[in-house]
Amino acid sequence: MTALRGFCWYSAVLVQMISQLSAGFPWGRWVDDIADGENKVMGVYVSVVVVVLITCVYVVIVKSQRRNGRELRLPPGPRGLPLIGNLLSLEPNLHVYFEKLSKIYGLIIKLQFGMKCVIVVSSSSLAKEILRDQDVNFAGRDRPVALLALTYGWSDIIWGHSDQEWRKLRKICNQELLSNTSLDSCYALRRKEVRRMVKDVYGMINTPINVGEQVFVTILNVVLSMLWGATIHGEERINVGIEFQRIVTGMNELVLKPNISDFFPILARFDLQGFDKEANKLVREMDQIFHSVIDQHLKLDKENNEHREKSGKDFLQFLLELMEKQDSKTRITIIQLKALLLDVVAAGADTSITTVEWAMTEMMHNPEVIRRAQEELDQVIGIHNVVEESHMSKLHYLNAVVKETLRLHPGAPLLVPHCSIASSIVGGYTVPKGSRIFVSAWAIHRDPEAWIDPLRFQPERFLGSDDDPLKKYDYRGNNFDYIPFGSGRRVCVGINLAERMVIYVLASLLHSFDWKLPEGTKLDFKDTFGIVLRKTTPLSAIPTLRLSNLHLYEENMPC
């Protein structure tokens, strides 16, 4: 009778939870994501399906959990309901929620998201075990179902499995597409867009502007310019950029929506919330853009090709040349080409945009920091010149500002989730095969045992003497107290691109303009969890002129 009462109670709870999928999830800002449109009618159908399933699954799950608890030493964590697990207790800002749990249960914890075992690690030593010591085993990706279409069948680098094709694509990116040599060759494209940004801000002088929006437009244009250079022009270029922005935004929002197919894979084939349908629609729209640009690119005559070589070689040109190669070790398919173009946007745009906005926010909150940064800019560049990328290596304090920004506001606070290929031991606990692994860079970067006064924005911590280990911290995860782009074989492939763009854009904004808050406004440091850690409230600031020579605000300034 006890088992029967437990089963009936559990069934009622489960039906209630599934019904909430149509009426609103108790997960803060996720409510509307699941409850909109035609998904409201899915509640009853899903309830019936799941109640039937639990008849078969309930006993198996309970017995399995009891057996595993006796045989395996799993990490500690909050207890959850069978099958549902901890889904009902989740909070919108997962990075903050996980940090709260780590203070209760320890630096490695286990949660259950439906049928998915989730492991969260919040210390540098455990991150090292996962990202370096057992790199091979944790090189898998736990991939949201909606991404199958959005990544062209896992044909990209960010979400693709660590197999031979993945290694080939990563090598192509590292050695040919995103290498320093390749990025140098398309500097003219980046410079043009940054100079356009300076001109646009000059046109809005002494009026409040949305800094994040301005940076978003600029960096997206920089990335698109590097993707296909001078292939399209004028109004068509603007329209393609707007459409591309809309599609990418839709993709990012879709990936963030809670998908019942991820929590209960047995239901994935039914696409109960219509995510697959929406993802395929976005991919078709993206394909139209890609094929249109590729067709135009291929139709360029020899004269235009020569002109493009002089103005800067774009990424599409690199990739089309790789498609023509006979060597299978470097040749790519059209599917891989499109997947790589999407990766460039994800690796080079999103993180760069949010980092610039967070850096500006922190600097305006700390006037001494912005004063020192501008003094350095005046010393290195002068007040009669414009910022060039060649100046970046000499801007030591501004580089420290960017490092400190990424420490407090890492672009991906939980990195991209890893997946355990086989069961293994981490920190003395068993991590089951197929677990979703979150490495909390956000918590590691705020660890008081690794950082003095960790919540304080202090770029000087990265400017020690030559023998100071902090000065040697880089973005490539060589020290596990600082992993804004991950580490190991899954370290972000777009580091070179992001590093160049963030410092170049930030230096241009600070060198050309002074910044102040609109009267009566205050800085807001609240963040919103997502693929990247965005500011909840966009930064609004008023630019004023710093340079007396107004020609320095023109778009077509000579190098």
Side-chain angles (χ1 to χ4, degrees):
M1 289 296 294
T2 300
L4 180 60
R5 285 197 299 270
F7 174 73
C8 293
W9 168 82
Y10 172 66
S11 299
V13 171
L14 187 57
V15 169
Q16 182 182 16
M17 186 202 78
I18 298 301
S19 297
Q20 288 171 336
L21 285 174
S22 61
F25 234 152
W27 294 1
R29 67 183 178 85
W30 287 355
V31 171
D32 294 334
D33 290 339
I34 295 183
D36 58 1
E38 62 185 14
N39 295 332
K40 294 180 179 179
V41 303
M42 291 295 181
V44 175
Y45 174 63
V46 175
S47 299
V48 173
V49 171
V50 175
V51 169
V52 171
L53 286 174
I54 61 176
T55 304
C56 302
V57 173
Y58 179 78
V59 176
V60 176
I61 292 295
V62 172
K63 289 185 177 180
S64 176
Q65 288 180 340
R66 289 175 179 172
R67 183 177 64 253
N68 287 339
R70 292 193 298 267
E71 297 176 355
L72 304 176
R73 186 169 183 252
L74 298 174
R79 293 186 63 181
L81 294 170
L83 198 61
I84 297 174
N86 306 103
L87 288 176
L88 294 180
S89 62
L90 295 183
E91 298 177 4
N93 280 350
L94 283 183
H95 59 301
V96 178
Y97 174 65
F98 288 159
E99 187 192 36
K100 291 178 184 177
L101 293 181
S102 71
K103 292 179 179 179
I104 299 173
Y105 298 101
L107 297 177
I108 178 170
I109 60 176
K110 172 189 173 292
L111 300 98
Q112 197 73 31
F113 291 1
M115 303 295 291
K116 177 65 65 175
C117 175
V118 175
I119 305 295
V120 183
V121 301
S122 302
S123 77
S124 57
S125 60
L126 294 173
K128 179 176 177 292
E129 283 194 53
I130 289 173
L131 301 178
R132 177 177 293 175
D133 299 344
Q134 300 188 52
D135 189 13
V136 175
N137 184 55
F138 291 105
R141 283 292 192 222
D142 190 66
R143 305 177 296 197
V145 173
L147 281 178
L148 177 61
L150 298 178
T151 58
Y152 295 94
W154 316 123
S155 297
D156 70 328
I157 293 176
I158 297 176
W159 294 95
H161 275 319
S162 179
D163 55 18
Q164 184 175 351
E165 284 298 299
W166 178 85
R167 288 189 290 272
K168 178 178 76 173
L169 294 179
R170 187 166 183 102
K171 184 177 180 180
I172 288 171
C173 274
N174 284 333
Q175 295 184 1
E176 300 193 48
L177 193 60
L178 296 176
S179 68
N180 285 322
T181 300
S182 297
L183 291 175
D184 287 343
S185 71
C186 59
Y187 167 56
L189 301 173
R190 293 194 297 281
R191 185 182 190 275
K192 181 179 180 181
E193 296 298 337
V194 172
R195 293 306 309 162
R196 183 178 297 171
M197 173 194 71
V198 171
K199 179 184 177 182
D200 289 344
V201 174
Y202 173 73
M204 297 180 284
I205 209 72
N206 295 322
T207 59
I209 68 171
N210 185 321
V211 176
E213 184 177 278
Q214 186 63 46
V215 171
F216 182 90
V217 171
T218 299
I219 291 184
L220 182 64
N221 285 339
V222 168
V223 172
L224 296 183
S225 183
M226 288 189 294
L227 287 182
W228 42 67
T231 302
I232 54 179
H233 308 272
E235 186 175 346
E236 182 185 9
R237 179 183 181 83
I238 297 173
N239 292 336
V240 168
I242 294 173
E243 188 68 7
F244 198 97
Q245 175 183 338
R246 181 188 65 79
I247 294 171
V248 171
T249 300
M251 288 180 170
N252 290 339
E253 291 177 351
L254 183 60
V255 173
L256 288 177
K257 291 179 180 179
N259 190 348
I260 193 172
S261 297
D262 292 325
F263 307 141
F264 304 98
I266 194 172
L267 300 177
R269 68 180 63 185
F270 302 109
D271 189 25
L272 297 174
Q273 294 166 259
F275 285 6
D276 288 352
K277 180 180 179 181
E278 187 176 347
N280 280 292
K281 178 177 180 292
L282 290 171
V283 170
R284 286 194 299 270
E285 294 173 347
M286 183 68 75
D287 274 347
Q288 290 180 356
I289 294 178
F290 282 154
H291 287 295
S292 174
V293 175
I294 289 171
D295 289 343
Q296 292 186 57
H297 202 291
L298 293 175
K299 290 177 182 178
L300 291 175
D301 57 27
K302 183 177 180 180
E303 180 180 348
N304 285 337
N305 282 329
E306 291 175 353
H307 173 72
R308 188 172 63 244
E309 289 288 349
K310 293 178 181 179
S311 63
K313 195 173 185 179
D314 56 68
F315 288 172
L316 182 55
Q317 187 175 350
F318 276 114
L319 296 175
L320 288 173
E321 290 172 0
L322 291 177
M323 286 183 60
E324 299 299 323
K325 286 193 173 184
Q326 299 301 315
D327 184 2
S328 61
K329 294 182 179 180
T330 56
R331 187 175 65 247
I332 64 172
T333 66
I334 185 63
I335 293 296
Q336 291 171 326
L337 180 148
K338 292 186 289 187
L340 284 174
L341 290 179
L342 278 177
D343 274 351
V344 170
V345 175
D350 268 358
T351 299
S352 301
I353 292 162
T354 56
T355 301
V356 171
E357 186 176 19
W358 277 118
M360 289 290 292
T361 302
E362 289 286 5
M363 295 176 79
M364 294 185 69
H365 186 64
N366 298 273
E368 178 61 19
V369 173
I370 202 168
R371 184 192 66 78
R372 285 193 60 179
Q374 289 180 325
E375 283 184 355
E376 180 183 61
L377 287 164
D378 292 344
Q379 292 171 3
V380 173
I381 299 163
I383 60 174
H384 299 294
N385 299 307
V386 298
V387 178
E388 305 287 356
E389 267 191 4
S390 58
H391 297 129
M392 298 303 101
S393 61
K394 301 174 185 177
L395 299 174
H396 304 298
Y397 188 75
L398 191 61
N399 274 274
V401 168
V402 173
K403 286 183 178 180
E404 180 72 341
T405 300
L406 285 168
R407 184 186 69 82
L408 280 176
H409 311 283
L414 302 176
L415 306 185
V416 180
H418 291 246
C419 181
S420 52
I421 298 173
S423 295
S424 63
I425 303 298
V426 174
Y429 294 100
T430 297
V431 175
K433 175 182 178 181
S435 297
R436 175 182 296 179
I437 313 297
F438 287 117
V439 178
S440 180
W442 194 81
I444 292 170
H445 290 181
R446 295 165 180 248
D447 183 357
E449 294 187 7
W451 305 92
I452 299 173
D453 200 2
L455 300 184
R456 181 184 175 192
F457 185 80
Q458 188 178 11
E460 291 78 10
R461 70 175 81 241
F462 292 101
L463 290 174
S465 59
D466 290 339
D467 58 350
D468 189 336
L470 280 179
K471 186 175 181 180
K472 300 177 182 178
Y473 278 22
D474 58 25
Y475 300 113
R476 287 159 178 78
N478 294 315
N479 187 307
F480 287 89
D481 289 326
Y482 188 68
I483 50 172
F485 293 98
S487 183
R489 70 183 61 202
R490 284 294 189 174
V491 68
C492 178
V493 72
I495 292 176
N496 289 341
L497 176 59
E499 183 178 6
R500 288 183 182 225
M501 287 175 32
V502 167
I503 299 177
Y504 187 24
V505 170
L506 188 59
S508 299
L509 291 173
L510 294 174
H511 180 256
S512 299
F513 308 98
D514 286 316
W515 298 85
K516 63 181 180 180
L517 290 175
E519 187 175 352
T521 64
K522 295 182 179 180
L523 290 170
D524 185 359
F525 286 86
K526 292 181 181 179
D527 53 35
T528 299
F529 177 77
I531 297 177
V532 294
L533 194 63
R534 300 188 183 280
K535 278 178 55 50
T536 302
T537 303
L539 173 63
S540 177
I542 299 174
T544 59
L545 296 182
R546 283 194 77 236
L547 308 176
S548 58
N549 185 351
L550 298 185
H551 291 297
L552 298 177
Y553 294 96
E554 295 176 359
E555 180 179 342
N556 298 316
M557 283 294 298
C559 294

